[in-house]
Amino acid sequence: MNLRPPPTPRLPPADPYIDGEFRPSAAGERREISCPATGRVLLAVAEAHAEDAQLAVSAARRAFDEGKWANASPRARAAVLESVATLLERDAVRFAELETLDTGKPLAESRDDLAQVADVFRYYAALVRSTGGEVNRAEEGSLSLTLLRPAGVVSMITPWNYPLLQASWKVAPALAAGCCFVLKPSELTPLTTMALAETLAEAGLPDGVANVVTGAGSSVGAALVSDPRVDVVSFTGGIETGRVIARTAADRAARVALELGGKNPNLILADADLEVAADRALDAVFFHAGQVCSAGSRLLADEKVHDELVARISARAARIRLGVGWDPETEMGPLISAAHREKVEGYVRLALAEGARLHLGGDRPADPALVGGAFLLPTVIVDLPSDGRVAREEIFGPVLTVERVRGLDDALARANATDTGLAAGIWTRELRTALRAAERLRFGTVWWNDFHPYFPEAPWGGFKSSGVGRELGRSGLREYQEEQHLYLNADPSPSGAFGGRGP
């Protein structure tokens, strides 16, 4: 491994961003943020608590009720979003280096993320300028309009695997809609979100519209979800936490948008192009060390091509270069923490206990240069039983499980036999087969002869326990809007319905 020194980007402020300024947390506590590739401490950020979250909600509530942003024209809001995108591109090197230090992913992935973040802001800038309400049919002399109004104050809670990208999926449409918000990044990876607060301020966002509060979900997150002044709660993360958030928000009838991950099958049929399918199967599961909500960690391979497919994938996986993200030769970085690595290793042990066989990996790398990081070798597990926990639960690591299937119907039945339904891939040379499969797959996204692509224009979200609502696309904007019916009567006249006939 190349032992070149890590990058040294300008670090963001270490305190919560509330009402237009970075200010110390009430308790004055700190949490050390470490690089998962080396264990080196990057920054000690403020460990905020419920009191800080409540101050941030107060700022967002005041800013929204004053209406400076909520009542701004779509053109004015779009101009700020365009400015954010331009500033992110100007500071692309800094943001990418911060993201790599914070998450451990290779710089190439962080640079791609940054480009997609700028694209999301530009997409919603264009969408809000071109999206209006509807004119409904009404009686002569009157007009019925369906108008789109900002939903209000939004609490946003984002995960650690794609800190800036996931933040952009919420921040950009919320700002486009005219909402004000409080954003809590993961306590593990807050750096780029805090840097984003600087960018939003520089772009000209009024004070109080955007607020960022660091801290644990049990204190800051809980306060943001339960605060009665919050109109919408948007959360991306684990299913169990999402269920708690949904119950808490339901107690006060607040709207929720939940993206809760999934167990994503990758179906490879007997007629697939095996060279391409095997190549993309590697992308599906080992990108960002498998720490992706849509990771294709469950391979359903037709029995006619199973052995050849496993051989192709394993030969390539054995050559994946592990290392620190700033080494240009690195293909896969570490897991986010030692604790998460232990959780992933637990799933490997569970798979073997359920009757599967370890075909590749399953260990930590022996390279002394990697000992300080949370690395795990690319792992392939075969003969996984379809009725076990590992076939149904999200692993969130560089572990591919393989199941033999007998044709399309068997593959579809097994793919759908989970509680989640975020994304799925289907590999076949026949379009007719792919369309039949898409009709039957209960997943929010289905890829044919591909895995992982998404676009700001297309909605993202899942069926079943994978969440509620959608991010991206027009649907992503509507999550932060309310419909208002406006009826205009230009020729009012008495109805005489009550008491008009006299004694």
Side-chain angles (χ1 to χ4, degrees), residues 169-302:
W169 289 14
K170 302 179 190 302
V171 170
L175 290 179
C179 295
C180 301
F181 67 85
V182 182
L183 170 58
K184 190 203 88 66
S186 166
E187 55 267 36
L188 299 177
T189 56
L191 300 188
T192 50
T193 307
M194 298 165 76
L196 177 63
E198 295 179 291
T199 301
L200 295 173
E202 186 178 356
L205 204 63
D207 293 350
V209 173
N211 305 271
V212 176
V213 182
T214 54
S218 58
S219 55
V220 174
L224 293 178
V225 172
S226 62
D227 197 307
R229 298 168 296 175
V230 170
D231 302 292
V232 181
V233 177
S234 180
F235 170 78
T236 299
I239 291 175
E240 292 306 317
T241 302
R243 288 171 175 159
V244 172
I245 288 173
R247 287 193 292 267
T248 302
D251 286 341
R252 54 186 185 83
R255 290 172 58 181
V256 295
L258 305 173
E259 202 274 83
L260 306 178
K263 186 68 173 180
N264 312 293
N266 192 11
L267 288 62
I268 301 182
L269 304 184
D271 69 329
D273 183 330
L274 292 190
E275 181 179 358
V276 179
D279 177 83
R280 294 301 180 90
L282 291 159
D283 294 343
V285 68
F286 296 124
F287 196 80
H288 194 15
Q291 299 169 122
V292 184
C293 60
S294 57
S297 63
R298 186 184 183 201
L299 191 68
L300 302 177
D302 189 282

Side-chain angles (χ1 to χ4, degrees), residues 54-77:
Q54 291 161 0
L55 286 174
V57 172
S58 296
R61 185 79 258 172
R62 175 192 52 76
F64 183 80
D65 292 342
E66 288 178 352
K68 188 174 181 180
W69 183 252
N71 298 332
S73 69
R75 182 180 296 270
R77 285 186 235 141

